Amino acid sequence: MEGGARMIVTIFTVCLIFLPPTSATLGPKGLRMGFYENSCPRAEEIVAEVVSDAYRKDPGIAAGFLRLFFHDCFVNGCDASILLDSIPSGEKVEKDSPANGKFLRGLEVIDTAKARLESECPGIVSCADTLSFATRDGSVLAGVPQYNMPGGRRDGLVSRAIDVISNVPLVNAPIQQITQLFVKKGLTQEEMVVLTGAHSIGVAHCSNFAYRVNKYNDTFQIDPKLDDADSAKIKSACQRQVSNEEIEKTTLPFDTHTPFKMDGGFYTNLLNGTGLIESDQAMALDPRTRPIVERLAEDEGKWLNQFGRAMSRLAAVDVKTGSEGEIRKQCRSVNLENKGNIGIAQNLGKTNNTAGLGDRSDFPSNSIDSLHDFMRTMP
């Protein structure tokens, strides 16, 4: 792969998880635990059942939810905008961004959960909350201790592919740039390192790491941070004499030992210099983040608990509540009665999404050459 913006992955599963109602526990902007205990008492139970069934068939779905969730929350906030197939203006939506595209996973599971919720409680449970609950449940199935996920989000009316580029980090971005983006979303540098541990599960596509063994820069053909074994593994997977379409689909697991289990192996791998994604590996090299990596590698239990808390914080980024947005009848399109409000919402969205990282002109020159290669690493 020559140039091309490669992005950090954020891959970010239940033993049927039924949270006890605790509606008195308030979260940011009015989110609260047990939000549906009166209006749709089985809401979280229904989502948990659907996710559990999907996970039994494909444990990789947990990583898919994490990626969907991160991409949703970092672009327009946690409002299910990533789930929209289209908007009335005909403008390309977030799904159409090469950073998302055909590599999104878990969409059909969200559709199934939403259909069951609509059957039981029509017009009550938002798609944003459905995705939030599903992501938590998938993560717990993958090994994260049960963590709080308040409800009360409403669904956004805006989804624009152009907003993705300035709101999601690149796979070869410097640590300072990635930290800056997380801080703008209200998260800390430590939470950035903690949440990136979602790469303990899932896979990355060749389009996000093959450049490390193919004209890495003007000085090195191969990224000098890679050892011989890792560079050989990447070459074997991504430089085969097959069609570009097949290579596009080729993946490697982030953690070859426990690819479906959330554990501390991810951080150990970084300390050993075997991180697949360059910006992940940079966390073990940068003096500001290496101590965090070391602490998390030493205490897996601490990391898992921190991960849950950080996910709860991520789930509150720029949420819409109260009378904002809507409760979609189905997650792939806005409600018919709100289609006339799209123009106003889009203008607000343009204002809200210009606070990212600008035109990315300060990123390494090989990061933005081709939007066709501007892909993310989750399946």
Side-chain angles (χ1 to χ4, degrees), residues 13-18 45-62 65 105 109 116 137-138 141-142 260:
T13 286
V14 178
C15 320
L16 292 180
I17 304 158
F18 308 140
E45 179 181 340
I46 288 170
V47 175
E49 289 172 352
V50 173
V51 170
S52 181
D53 182 60
Y55 185 84
R56 282 195 299 270
K57 298 172 183 175
D58 175 16
I61 202 70
F65 288 141
R105 296 187 63 199
V109 182
R116 285 192 54 185
D137 296 344
L141 279 173
F260 302 117

Side-chain angles (χ1 to χ4, degrees), residues 242-297:
V242 294
S243 68
N244 289 336
E245 183 178 354
E246 183 175 341
I247 287 296
E248 226 175 53
K249 296 177 181 177
T250 301
T251 63
L252 287 177
F254 291 109
D255 185 345
T256 57
H257 299 294
T258 54
F260 302 117
K261 184 178 185 299
M262 294 282 281
D263 57 33
F266 169 73
Y267 296 103
T268 301
N269 290 342
L270 296 186
L271 294 175
N272 291 335
T274 60
L276 186 60
I277 300 301
E278 187 176 10
S279 55
D280 289 357
Q281 187 58 61
M283 293 191 303
L285 301 174
D286 191 291
R288 293 164 295 186
T289 51
R290 183 177 177 87
I292 303 173
V293 173
E294 290 175 337
R295 289 199 304 272
L296 299 177

Side-chain angles (χ1 to χ4, degrees), residues 2 35 39 69 84 119 163 168 201 216 224 231 261 266 352:
E2 297 179 2
F35 185 85
S39 58
F69 189 63
L84 289 171
S119 176
D163 293 334
V168 192
I201 58 175
Y216 175 68
S231 61
K261 184 178 185 299
F266 169 73
N352 292 338

Side-chain angles (χ1 to χ4, degrees), residues 33-268:
M33 298 295 295
F35 185 85
Y36 297 105
E37 62 185 349
N38 295 320
S39 58
C40 189
R42 293 188 65 245
E44 296 188 50
E45 179 181 340
I46 288 170
V47 175
E49 289 172 352
V50 173
V51 170
S52 181
D53 182 60
Y55 185 84
R56 282 195 299 270
K57 298 172 183 175
D58 175 16
I61 202 70
F65 288 141
L66 283 164
R67 182 180 186 274
L68 265 177
F69 189 63
F70 176 83
H71 278 224
D72 184 47
C73 291
F74 262 51
V75 183
N76 290 319
C78 305
D79 66 351
S81 54
I82 196 171
L83 302 179
L84 289 171
D85 282 345
S86 63
I87 53 176
S89 69
E91 190 172 5
K92 289 186 180 237
V93 294
E94 291 169 35
K95 277 182 182 175
D96 295 327
S97 169
N100 292 318
K102 54 193 170 185
F103 300 124
L104 293 178
R105 296 187 63 199
L107 297 168
E108 293 79 9
V109 182
I110 300 300
D111 289 340
T112 300
K114 176 61 173 173
R116 285 192 54 185
L117 290 166
E118 284 297 300
S119 176
E120 179 142 337
C121 313
I124 298 297
V125 184
S126 68
C127 296
D129 278 345
T130 303
L131 177 57
S132 299
F133 296 150
T135 302
R136 174 204 57 201
D137 296 344
S139 299
V140 171
L141 279 173
V144 178
Q146 176 67 53
Y147 60 89
N148 289 339
M149 184 57 72
R153 299 164 194 79
R154 288 171 64 86
D155 301 323
L157 303 174
V158 175
S159 182
R160 307 190 317 151
I162 195 172
D163 293 334
V164 176
I165 297 174
S166 61
N167 283 285
V168 192
L170 309 176
V171 291
N172 59 348
I175 289 296
Q176 182 57 37
Q177 296 287 0
I178 301 174
T179 299
Q180 178 187 359
L181 183 55
F182 271 73
V183 169
K184 285 184 176 180
K185 303 300 179 183
L187 300 166
T188 67
Q189 185 175 70
E190 180 157 356
E191 286 172 326
M192 174 193 79
V193 179
V194 167
L195 288 171
T196 305
H199 296 175
S200 174
I201 58 175
V203 299
H205 284 84
C206 282
S207 53
N208 291 276
F209 55 82
Y211 73 94
R212 300 184 72 185
V213 298
N214 183 24
K215 300 179 183 176
Y216 175 68
N217 59 27
D218 292 339
T219 304
F220 297 101
Q221 174 73 14
I222 297 175
D223 183 349
K225 297 185 293 296
L226 289 170
D227 63 22
D228 291 342
D230 286 330
S231 61
K233 179 174 65 176
I234 293 174
K235 286 180 181 179
S236 176
C238 304
Q239 294 186 339
R240 296 172 290 126
Q241 296 301 311
V242 294
S243 68
N244 289 336
E245 183 178 354
E246 183 175 341
I247 287 296
E248 226 175 53
K249 296 177 181 177
T250 301
T251 63
L252 287 177
F254 291 109
D255 185 345
T256 57
H257 299 294
T258 54
F260 302 117
K261 184 178 185 299
M262 294 282 281
D263 57 33
F266 169 73
Y267 296 103
T268 301

Side-chain angles (χ1 to χ4, degrees), residues 23-35 129 150-153 316 319-322 324:
S23 56
T25 305
L26 297 176
K29 203 178 178 182
L31 298 181
R32 71 175 188 270
M33 298 295 295
F35 185 85
D129 278 345
R153 299 164 194 79
V319 294
K320 296 166 180 63
T321 58
E324 298 174 299

